[in-house]
Amino acid sequence: MLEIKELTARSDDGNDILKGINLTVRPGEVHAIMGPNGSGKSTLSSVIAGNPKFIKTGGTLRFNGEEIDELSPEERAHRGIFLSFQYPVEIPGVSVNNFIKTAINEKRRSMGLEDMPAGELLRMIKEKAALVELDPRFLSRSLNEGFSGGEKKRAEIFQMAALAPSLAILDETDSGLDIDALRIVANGVNKLKSPENATIVITHYQRLLDYIVPDYVHVLYKGRIIKTGGRELALELEEKGYDWLIKDYQ
Amino acid sequence: MSKDHIQDTLDSASDYKYGFHSDIESETFPVGLNEDIVRAISAKKEEPEWMTEYRLKAYRHWCTLEEPSWAHLKYERPDFNGISYYSAPVRTPKHASLDEVDPELLRTFDRLGIPLEEQKVLSGVAMDVVMDSVSVKTTFEDTLKKLGIIFMPISRAIKEHPDLVRKYLGTVVPHTDNFYAALNSAVFSDGSFCYIPKGVRCPMELSTYFRINQGGTGQFERTLLVADEDSYVSYLEGCTAPMRDENQLHAAVVELIALDGAEIKYSTVQNWYPGDKNGVGGIYNFVTKRGICHTRSKISWTQVETGSAVTWKYPSCILKGDNSIGEFYSLAMTNNYQQADTGTKMIHLGRNTRSTIVSKGISAGYSQNAYRGQVKMSRGAVGARNFTQCDSLLMSDHCGAHTFPVISSDCPTAIVEHEATTSKISEDQIFYCNQRGLTTEKAVALIVNGFSREVLAKLPMEFAVEAQKLLEISLEGSVG
Amino acid sequence: MQNSKYIKINEDLTTIKVEHDSRTTLRNTGQAESYLLLCSGSHSLCLTVEKGADVTLIEASDATPDFCYEIHLESGASLRHVRIDLTDKKTRYTLHQEKDSRYEMSLISLCGNQENLFTMHSEGEGTDTRMCGFTYGQAAYKVKNTIRLHHHKPHATSYQAFKYVADDKSRLSFDGKIIVELNAQKIEAYQKNNNILISEEAHIASDPQLEIYADDVRCSHGSTIGQLDADALFYMQSRGISYKSACGMLIRSFADEPLSIIKEDWLREQIEDIIASMLK
């Protein structure tokens, strides 16, 4: 599904951040990307999603066989890429309901479909909110305004449920969450997993991976993936930290 | 990169869809203003002596005044001797029958989307249609009459209800108030007069639709709305004008009187021609609007302003009676070279009076958008409260957003809270929406809508829909 | 006008005696230094703080009633300016800041009629401008502070917090405008003016203003007028604090921000004593 070869990218203030990433994600897989802060994890998710603040300087980025470089972020979203942000922005005056309805219909229009009828839309939203344990009262509140860290992340997973992407990238979804919030968020993600979609979990700590079990674990350091392993690699990192691994790459 | 995106979205041509001109036979006075013209206007309207005297007094006072220049506005001074102060369509119907109306006129209103037939009127809104200073049609008059409600052109009210008009005209905005009020008091030709009797709740929304059609004229309408004790009325004002190269002047005066326990809701969706992309032409909108609240009464001003080249207006409330309430909800959008200096004044005189001000300004293009407000707590305003929130959204790097509130208090138990913020749509917000599948245009529309929601929510339903559409149209051409 | 208030000066400070219109440059080598400004019989001063210097300027003695001064902060310079007003004053004060300079002002007015015009120009990137004021009006004093803060260059920050307490027949007014010029992007400017009216014959006027021509900025201002917080007063009383003491504590808390800028104990303590003596 996602094929990344020798990807290099820099930020818009000129710093080279990604220095040659190779990654292949197939349907049904869960990949975890770990690494110390500043290694380029968020940059990778931003480049895949098409954030204009980051510029791809080399390599190839293919989604379902198609090179997506020239596609705008919304076009990538329509093709099935979803990014759960580390710091979801607030949009005052726009309710969660209103926002998700607009997103759903925009996607349908891009596929030549008509807007979803209001009744069906309402039912679907309620269903998805229940699935990810999002209190329906949040639906009428302004998007992310005044939400706690945990509430913001849950709202992100709710959006993921409603948009049903084929590739979901979870950027530090566990940061700022306590154990209970973590469990609820992970539960939601797990319920949405299927053999047709794939998930990339970006995290600094191991604990999320207790709940969202990865098939592959990659360690990103200074813009490169320095090691790939199975689930045990995450446990090893938890026990020993990153030093033993990165000392050879200083 | 997204900033350019926003710029482009706003830049795609937006047609002012009301810019057409109707070929209607009109009678227009020669340009210029002097006592003879004033008398001629009064004579044309067959006014009683006291009305002519009022006009002359105002005109003489106007001659002694100088045009104000303190607003944050730059514009070419109107040539007061170069405009005509009276223009009226020749075939003016006098009564409810549509057969007598110039068919061209009917077509005009059709194009504006204003249905005149009684049945099709927006879910029963009684409407007074004013074309070029003259009231052309008032609907639902008989229905209202049965309740004792008077809703008619002010020119008729002066003749049919002189006592009422005389009692209240100029009591809220005296002719000495300011330059434009004096001018208006001298040359106003028509507008709406409305009187709601004691205890009556007006069953439908009352509306006046203003349209300036004739070139080279100024429109000076005068509205007087009196809500007697414990009554209620909701009033809608809408305005459009054709596209012309010259700047046309619109200097109106609106006076609202809410007697004990009464409530007046006054909503405006203003879409006067704003001038073209280069700032040529457009209406000069200089309006004095004021309401006086007696004991336990309430006046709410709600406005959505997207038009006119230069706007200068401050709908205000004088909270004279104890426990009275004043509200001001405003959304002002400026684009290209438009300029707005608008806001409100809440003067607290009585005890336990309350005022709420929510002002949202959106600036784009090369426009300048200023909020100017005054909140005054006088010594007697014991226990009074004001809450003000002014937010400005900047959508280009060439426009300006300004806030000039003036707050004063002479009363220790009065509370004033004022907050203002200025910001722009952040790139992060745009990217977030993009990632959720929304194009940048859609994202901007959504965010602006969210920004404006608090004000749009205050508009009566029919107006809210129109206002929403207006915002979208204004946005289409505004990024740039 | 009674001037029963005065500040005893710490003799160890370096003094800048201004006896006629003059220009002075302040510099330092190593640690921060404090200077005391003593003006008598003169009308203007032009002061430059040298590149990279870190100095403190204290004005706490009788000054000539009509004074005009200009301060230039060269790049990287830092000035902490403490001004205590105890007499009638009419001043015009202009500040020019070059890049990366920092300015912090504590303005405490406790006595006398004041009419001050502060014009601040941020003329370089990376400047930071902070002004914290506390005015306690009593008798029939009139205080009018006019501030015009101009942001000419991008990436700068400013913060203004003016707190007024008006008692007796005093008339206090605040007129503060923040102007962000075109191209002065990425500015963060905040302004707040909080006012308490104590007596019925006192008067407060507040005109906070924003004139913004650049779009990538974050600017806000807030203004409040009211009484001492009744809930806070009751809370303190319920803990055994007398009403009078509680009022005093709340008024005194209004002066927190400007007082916290004063590091000199000998000065700060005297000011706190004066405020305490003003509470009735």
Side-chain angles (χ1 to χ4, degrees):
Chain A
M1 191 192 288
L2 181 71
E3 212 182 294
I4 305 178
K5 284 207 178 91
E6 291 303 320
L7 180 71
T8 56
R10 63 173 170 86
S11 62
D12 60 2
D13 52 12
N15 292 320
D16 289 319
I17 304 183
L18 298 180
K19 304 201 175 122
I21 302 279
N22 289 293
L23 182 68
T24 304
V25 178
R26 292 176 202 84
E29 292 177 351
V30 176
H31 290 247
I33 303 200
M34 304 180 72
N37 288 328
S39 45
K41 308 195 291 290
S42 280
T43 304
L44 179 60
S45 60
S46 295
V47 171
I48 298 172
N51 190 329
K53 282 205 179 118
F54 297 94
I55 301 146
K56 171 172 163 287
T57 48
T60 56
L61 182 60
R62 281 201 153 85
F63 185 67
N64 286 331
E66 189 190 358
E67 281 234 23
I68 58 174
D69 284 4
E70 301 298 309
L71 297 181
S72 64
E74 57 269 27
E75 284 169 328
R76 299 187 201 197
H78 294 158
R79 278 163 177 66
I81 297 178
F82 178 91
L83 172 61
S84 165
F85 286 74
Q86 187 177 3
Y87 303 109
V89 294
E90 294 179 3
I91 305 186
V94 178
S95 67
V96 175
N97 239 338
N98 192 7
F99 183 73
I100 200 69
K101 281 184 194 165
T102 309
I104 289 170
N105 285 327
E106 287 293 296
K107 182 169 178 176
R108 288 170 70 93
R109 282 193 211 145
S110 77
M111 302 191 300
L113 297 170
E114 294 221 325
D115 285 1
M116 200 184 271
E120 197 186 319
L121 199 51
L122 193 62
R123 259 192 313 272
M124 197 262 262
I125 288 174
K126 278 212 178 109
E127 189 194 306
K128 301 297 178 190
L131 186 72
V132 301
E133 292 175 72
L134 183 75
D135 188 329
R137 276 174 299 177
F138 278 100
L139 296 173
S140 47
R141 283 178 59 179
S142 280
L143 186 63
N144 296 323
E145 204 179 26
F147 287 19
S148 70
E151 288 161 354
K152 280 187 183 167
K153 295 290 158 72
R154 270 198 272 177
E156 292 288 281
I157 303 303
F158 161 72
Q159 289 183 43
M160 186 170 126
L163 291 168
S166 13
L167 175 68
I169 307 169
L170 309 179
D171 193 351
E172 310 254 5
T173 299
D174 53 340
S175 75
L177 296 189
D178 62 33
I179 279 293
D180 292 317
L182 192 66
R183 228 194 312 246
I184 294 176
V185 167
N187 250 344
V189 174
N190 283 328
K191 284 191 204 159
L192 297 169
K193 266 197 302 173
S194 81
E196 287 82 39
N197 59 33
T199 315
I200 297 178
V201 181
I202 296 176
T203 179
H204 184 83
Y205 297 106
Q206 197 298 115
R207 59 178 193 160
L208 178 64
L209 305 177
D210 283 339
Y211 300 93
I212 305 178
V213 182
D215 300 306
Y216 297 95
V217 174
H218 311 272
V219 179
L220 190 63
Y221 182 63
K222 285 195 179 171
R224 267 183 255 269
I225 293 179
I226 57 175
K227 194 163 174 71
T228 296
R231 207 203 149 183
E232 328 70 49
L233 178 55
L235 294 165
E236 207 180 338
L237 288 169
E238 174 82 344
E239 211 188 292
K240 300 200 243 173
Y242 287 101
D243 285 342
W244 61 280
L245 200 54
I246 66 177
K247 64 175 173 11
D248 298 328
Y249 297 89
Q250 293 299 355
Chain B
M1 189 220 107
S2 347
K3 194 196 285 193
D4 297 330
H5 238 119
I6 301 178
Q7 305 255 331
D8 292 340
T9 312
L10 290 175
D11 215 5
S12 42
S14 115
D15 284 325
Y16 181 70
K17 77 180 206 223
Y18 305 110
F20 60 91
H21 162 79
S22 305
D23 256 319
I24 294 175
E25 216 188 314
S26 300
E27 186 194 342
T28 308
F29 274 13
V31 299
L33 186 59
N34 52 52
E35 282 203 19
D36 290 333
I37 299 264
V38 175
R39 273 183 223 275
I41 293 175
S42 200
K44 255 265 161 275
K45 307 188 123 322
E46 298 165 349
E47 288 175 347
E49 188 61 31
W50 61 267
M51 197 61 236
T52 316
E53 273 315 307
Y54 181 84
R55 289 180 183 276
L56 287 170
K57 201 159 85 168
Y59 171 72
R60 285 171 199 139
H61 183 74
W62 180 72
C63 291
T64 66
L65 298 174
E66 253 185 55
E67 214 192 326
S69 56
W70 45 260
H72 193 92
L73 302 166
K74 285 198 190 56
Y75 57 92
E76 224 179 279
R77 300 276 174 258
D79 177 9
F80 295 103
N81 279 312
I83 51 178
S84 161
Y85 290 87
Y86 182 85
S87 170
V90 167
R91 284 161 69 183
T92 318
K94 298 242 189 291
H95 293 290
S97 166
L98 289 171
D99 298 335
E100 291 172 37
V101 182
D102 186 331
E104 181 61 31
L105 207 62
L106 284 181
R107 264 195 290 277
T108 304
F109 287 105
D110 255 344
R111 280 176 78 179
L112 288 171
I114 302 169
L116 282 185
E117 301 103 70
E118 312 256 351
Q119 297 88 324
K120 289 215 205 115
V121 164
L122 310 155
S123 42
V125 175
M127 194 174 320
D128 184 22
V129 178
V130 179
M131 168 91 113
D132 277 333
S133 314
V134 169
S135 175
V136 160
K137 161 123 195 72
T138 310
T139 60
F140 283 118
E141 235 190 278
D142 294 328
T143 321
L144 296 171
K145 222 157 144 179
K146 289 201 193 93
L147 291 160
I149 295 173
I150 305 169
F151 178 51
M152 61 176 54
I154 201 166
S155 54
R156 247 180 76 193
I158 288 169
K159 290 181 251 180
E160 291 177 30
H161 303 277
D163 295 331
L164 263 182
V165 177
R166 218 169 159 173
K167 181 171 178 189
Y168 292 110
L169 188 72
T171 55
V172 189
V173 181
H175 66 273
T176 50
D177 194 87
N178 67 69
F179 184 85
Y180 287 100
L183 181 59
N184 177 287
S185 300
V187 302
F188 79 85
S189 50
D190 221 331
S192 299
F193 173 75
C194 173
Y195 172 80
I196 316 286
K198 287 203 204 337
V200 172
R201 194 182 164 83
C202 186
M204 56 187 53
E205 245 119 30
L206 300 183
S207 168
T208 306
Y209 209 95
F210 293 107
R211 178 158 174 85
I212 299 178
N213 191 53
Q214 220 28 34
T217 59
Q219 185 148 1
F220 304 91
E221 71 287 322
R222 185 101 190 185
T223 298
L224 179 59
L225 213 154
V226 181
D228 214 326
E229 292 176 18
D230 299 308
S231 66
Y232 169 86
V233 63
S234 170
Y235 183 90
L236 315 174
E237 184 196 293
C239 347
T240 61
M243 295 200 267
R244 287 182 198 284
D245 285 343
E246 82 227 45
N247 294 108
Q248 281 187 276
L249 182 60
H250 174 249
V253 169
V254 174
E255 293 179 284
L256 303 184
I257 293 142
L259 296 178
D260 292 1
E263 184 176 341
I264 301 176
K265 222 171 123 70
Y266 194 100
S267 312
T268 309
V269 173
Q270 185 266 102
N271 187 24
W272 291 121
Y273 177 54
D276 68 9
K277 275 221 200 72
N278 300 308
V280 175
I283 302 294
Y284 284 169
N285 193 25
F286 300 152
V287 176
T288 306
K289 284 177 165 168
R290 195 172 304 150
I292 185 157
C293 290
H294 290 262
T295 312
R296 285 174 305 109
S297 66
K298 177 170 169 185
I299 290 182
S300 308
W301 297 100
T302 305
Q303 58 181 35
V304 174
E305 311 265 319
T306 59
S308 82
V310 179
T311 301
W312 181 84
K313 67 191 272 219
Y314 315 98
S316 309
C317 293
I318 298 177
L319 301 168
K320 181 171 163 196
D322 292 350
N323 297 99
S324 57
I325 299 175
E327 290 179 346
F328 176 77
Y329 288 88
S330 163
L331 174 65
M333 164 122 205
T334 55
N335 191 6
N336 297 317
Y337 286 90
Q338 284 176 285
Q339 302 178 71
D341 194 304
T342 164
T344 181
K345 292 196 238 186
M346 294 290 176
I347 314 288
H348 290 252
L349 300 173
R351 303 167 70 93
N352 297 316
T353 46
R354 298 237 173 310
S355 62
T356 305
I357 299 171
V358 174
S359 165
K360 303 270 183 184
I362 304 176
S363 329
Y366 289 82
S367 65
Q368 300 292 326
N369 201 331
Y371 165 84
R372 194 175 301 270
Q374 181 184 13
V375 172
K376 187 173 148 91
M377 297 291 185
S378 62
R379 191 158 303 177
V382 174
R385 264 197 95 107
N386 160 270
F387 175 75
T388 304
Q389 177 80 42
C390 298
D391 294 319
S392 302
L393 193 62
L394 289 160
M395 293 181 67
S396 84
D397 48 12
H398 297 288
C399 58
H402 319 293
T403 317
F404 306 120
V406 170
I407 304 162
S408 69
S409 175
D410 283 283
C411 179
T413 56
I415 300 179
V416 179
E417 276 172 56
H418 168 99
E419 242 178 71
T421 61
T422 304
S423 61
K424 60 174 266 207
I425 297 178
S426 74
E427 286 165 352
D428 289 340
Q429 282 175 314
I430 297 283
F431 177 64
Y432 184 85
C433 293
N434 285 156
Q435 208 297 301
R436 294 295 188 264
L438 277 66
T439 58
T440 301
E441 290 79 4
K442 197 83 191 132
V444 167
L446 194 73
I447 294 169
V448 167
N449 208 283
F451 177 76
S452 322
R453 205 170 74 158
E454 217 180 323
V455 175
L456 292 177
K458 285 283 163 181
L459 288 173
M461 253 259 281
E462 304 84 4
F463 249 26
V465 170
E466 189 181 326
Q468 197 103 296
K469 277 197 237 141
L470 201 56
L471 248 193
E472 279 167 24
I473 295 173
S474 306
L475 263 187
E476 269 169 41
S478 59
V479 185
Chain C
M1 178 219 76
Q2 294 307 0
N3 182 21
S4 54
K5 304 177 179 74
Y6 80 104
I7 299 269
K8 184 174 177 322
I9 305 305
N10 182 337
E11 303 298 315
D12 299 336
L13 285 182
T14 315
T15 312
I16 304 172
K17 277 209 183 80
V18 186
E19 274 148 18
H20 29 256
D21 296 352
S22 59
R23 315 181 77 88
T24 309
T25 304
L26 299 180
R27 53 178 70 84
N28 64 4
T29 47
Q31 298 153 310
E33 276 176 48
S34 297
Y35 296 88
L36 182 68
L37 190 64
L38 283 177
C39 315
S40 55
S42 76
H43 297 283
S44 77
L45 167 67
C46 180
L47 191 72
T48 305
V49 180
E50 223 183 43
K51 207 162 168 174
D54 182 352
V55 295
T56 300
L57 186 68
I58 298 175
E59 285 179 71
S61 57
D62 291 358
T64 41
D66 208 326
F67 198 60
C68 158
Y69 49 148
E70 213 175 287
I71 297 190
H72 290 262
L73 293 187
E74 289 184 357
S75 70
S78 215
L79 177 66
R80 191 160 61 85
H81 186 181
V82 175
R83 191 175 126 170
I84 316 296
D85 294 335
L86 298 170
T87 58
D88 284 356
K89 267 191 203 156
K90 186 169 166 188
T91 64
R92 268 185 349 273
Y93 172 77
T94 313
L95 174 74
H96 291 274
Q97 283 185 261
E98 281 181 34
K99 72 190 268 277
D100 296 320
S101 59
R102 294 178 42 102
Y103 178 77
E104 197 175 33
M105 178 185 213
S106 167
L107 174 67
I108 301 183
S109 307
L110 301 172
C111 191
N113 291 307
Q114 309 282 332
E115 198 183 313
N116 300 306
L117 170 62
F118 297 96
T119 311
M120 341 283 275
H121 292 278
S122 157
E123 288 160 345
E125 291 195 20
T127 59
D128 181 48
T129 315
R130 254 179 93 88
M131 297 174 75
C132 298
F134 171 70
T135 302
Y136 190 171
Q138 292 188 318
Y141 293 131
K142 285 205 191 64
V143 174
K144 183 169 160 66
N145 284 321
T146 306
I147 295 137
R148 297 283 177 264
L149 200 153
H150 295 257
H151 279 282
H152 298 281
K153 290 276 188 261
H155 295 282
T157 51
S158 66
Y159 174 82
Q160 294 170 47
F162 281 83
K163 307 213 181 160
Y164 286 1
V165 177
D167 200 349
D168 300 330
K169 294 193 174 129
S170 60
R171 299 181 73 81
L172 309 183
S173 105
F174 171 81
D175 176 348
K177 193 193 276 205
I178 298 177
I179 303 126
V180 180
E181 310 276 358
L182 183 66
N183 297 325
Q185 301 288 10
K186 302 270 190 239
I187 298 289
E188 278 189 33
Y190 299 101
Q191 181 198 76
K192 65 178 173 184
N193 174 226
N194 304 119
N195 304 283
I196 304 259
L197 268 175
I198 296 190
S199 84
E200 292 200 353
E201 289 167 292
H203 172 92
I204 296 231
S206 175
D207 295 7
Q209 301 167 63
L210 292 173
E211 221 178 277
I212 316 278
Y213 297 97
D215 69 325
D216 196 353
V217 300
R218 275 214 288 250
C219 301
S220 68
H221 69 210
S223 168
T224 60
I225 303 183
Q227 283 184 297
L228 292 174
D229 185 343
D231 290 337
L233 286 174
F234 177 67
Y235 179 83
M236 288 193 269
Q237 285 177 281
S238 73
R239 295 292 186 267
I241 301 171
S242 75
Y243 180 75
K244 183 163 157 320
S245 297
C247 287
M249 285 169 76
L250 283 183
I251 291 175
R252 159 67 185 74
S253 76
F254 250 36
D256 269 349
E257 267 177 297
L259 279 178
S260 69
I261 293 177
I262 304 175
K263 311 273 184 268
E264 290 75 11
D265 294 337
W266 59 268
L267 182 57
R268 199 181 58 250
E269 281 161 18
Q270 287 187 65
I271 298 170
E272 290 181 359
D273 287 341
I274 296 177
I275 296 177
S277 72
M278 288 170 78
L279 300 167
K280 296 189 297 231

